Amino acid sequence: MEEVIFTVKSNKKIAKDVYEMVLVGDTSGITNYGQFVNLKIDGVFLRRPISVCDFEKGKLLLIYKVVGEGTAILSGYVKGKTINVLTGLGNGYDLLVSGDNPLLIGGGVGVPPMFGLCKALVKKGVKPTVILGFNTKDEVFYEKEFKRLNVKVHVCTVDGTAGEKGFVTDVMEKLNYSYFYTCGPMPMFRAIEKVAKTDGEYSFEERMGCGFGACMGCSCKTLVGNKRICVDGPVLKRGEIIW
């Protein structure tokens, strides 16, 4: 864990209540996709955890949804604004177990970490298949960015206003894959667990008080003992999760 001061390079709305923020600063503490950062936002007490969408030396890409006071304040940050950021948090996905045809499933604000993971897999010579799930057309983002990676992308919306009508599992059941990686809400996870054909990894979205294991607020029971989502996760393997 490292405390770093980043500077906002850009911060723009890309879908309904969804913003893309580019920060510049020391990214050496970020080592894997699936990790997250904790932002100190003016006027609120607790830091806000945001999944890492992508990173390279000196640049950090975050995508977040405005869901409350903290993210509403964050959406108003402009170029040149500085932010205190805790980096290097969480464990990230295991790329070594992907196989030749992994499946990446992102639901809503669970889509961002799938993007960086997809880039990393493609760089390894692996061609994943991607499913992006949203409620409606206005919420869809990053479809074009995934397609630029030259991978197969399925978009689905609950109301059918974009892509295929239905849930991510409706698409998932039609596909063959070697492994799966996913991030999104718990109802989506429970549905995936019922139809998954292989082993895989889930990245959990939990409310975190500190982000580095001190407060124990995000503890959960697993088949291999108690784990803290912020430290031992947010990525957990399918075989250790108690549903």
Side-chain angles (χ1 to χ4, degrees):
M1 179 186 70
E2 295 184 28
E3 188 174 21
V4 182
I5 302 299
F6 280 83
T7 302
V8 176
K9 182 177 181 181
S10 64
N11 188 25
K12 63 182 181 181
K13 190 174 184 178
I14 59 173
K16 182 181 178 182
D17 299 326
V18 177
Y19 287 75
E20 176 194 77
M21 175 179 279
V22 178
L23 300 174
V24 291
D26 182 4
T27 56
S28 60
I30 305 169
T31 58
N32 196 12
Y33 295 98
Q35 289 185 300
F36 66 98
V37 294
N38 235 357
L39 309 183
K40 184 174 178 58
I41 299 174
D42 298 337
V44 295
F45 177 67
L46 293 177
R47 290 176 180 263
R48 294 305 191 264
I50 307 289
S51 297
V52 171
C53 179
D54 198 10
F55 67 96
E56 57 187 55
K57 185 176 181 180
K59 187 166 75 172
L60 174 62
L61 174 63
L62 304 178
I63 295 176
Y64 61 95
K65 184 174 184 178
V66 174
V67 294
E69 180 186 7
T71 45
I73 295 171
L74 188 64
S75 70
Y77 282 9
V78 298
K79 183 178 180 179
K81 170 70 176 176
T82 58
I83 307 178
N84 183 298
V85 182
L86 292 181
T87 70
L89 304 177
N91 59 350
Y93 295 102
D94 185 355
L95 278 67
L96 299 178
V97 295
S98 70
D100 296 329
N101 182 33
L103 180 63
L104 279 55
I105 312 156
V109 288
V111 166
M114 295 295 101
F115 181 70
L117 175 62
C118 188
K119 284 183 66 175
L121 289 168
V122 169
K123 189 175 181 179
K124 278 183 54 181
V126 175
K127 281 294 185 71
T129 300
V130 179
I131 306 175
L132 308 177
F134 304 93
N135 289 314
T136 187
K137 180 180 179 179
D138 291 344
E139 298 177 0
V140 176
F141 63 91
Y142 261 52
E143 177 183 3
K144 292 179 181 179
E145 285 78 0
F146 275 97
K147 288 182 176 179
R148 290 192 192 110
L149 300 177
N150 196 28
V151 298
K152 179 65 177 178
V153 180
H154 298 268
V155 171
C156 56
T157 53
V158 176
D159 64 3
T161 51
E164 302 178 48
K165 183 176 181 179
F167 300 98
V168 296
T169 46
D170 295 324
V171 179
M172 189 178 179
E173 288 183 293
K174 304 172 188 177
L175 303 175
N176 292 315
Y177 45 92
S178 55
Y179 196 79
F180 72 87
Y181 302 92
T182 184
C183 183
M186 184 60 75
M188 186 185 86
F189 284 177
R190 294 187 186 280
I192 288 173
E193 184 62 19
K194 292 178 181 179
V195 302
K197 302 172 184 177
T198 69
D199 202 359
E201 297 175 16
Y202 294 86
S203 180
F204 285 82
E205 300 174 345
E206 288 284 338
R207 294 190 66 85
M208 302 174 189
C210 66
F212 48 86
C215 71
M216 306 298 288
C218 60
S219 295
C220 67
K221 292 182 179 180
T222 74
L223 293 174
V224 292
N226 291 331
K227 288 195 172 185
R228 295 161 295 176
I229 292 298
C230 66
V231 175
D232 305 307
V235 178
L236 300 180
K237 294 187 180 294
R238 184 185 185 192
E240 64 183 327
I241 300 169
I242 297 174
W243 296 101

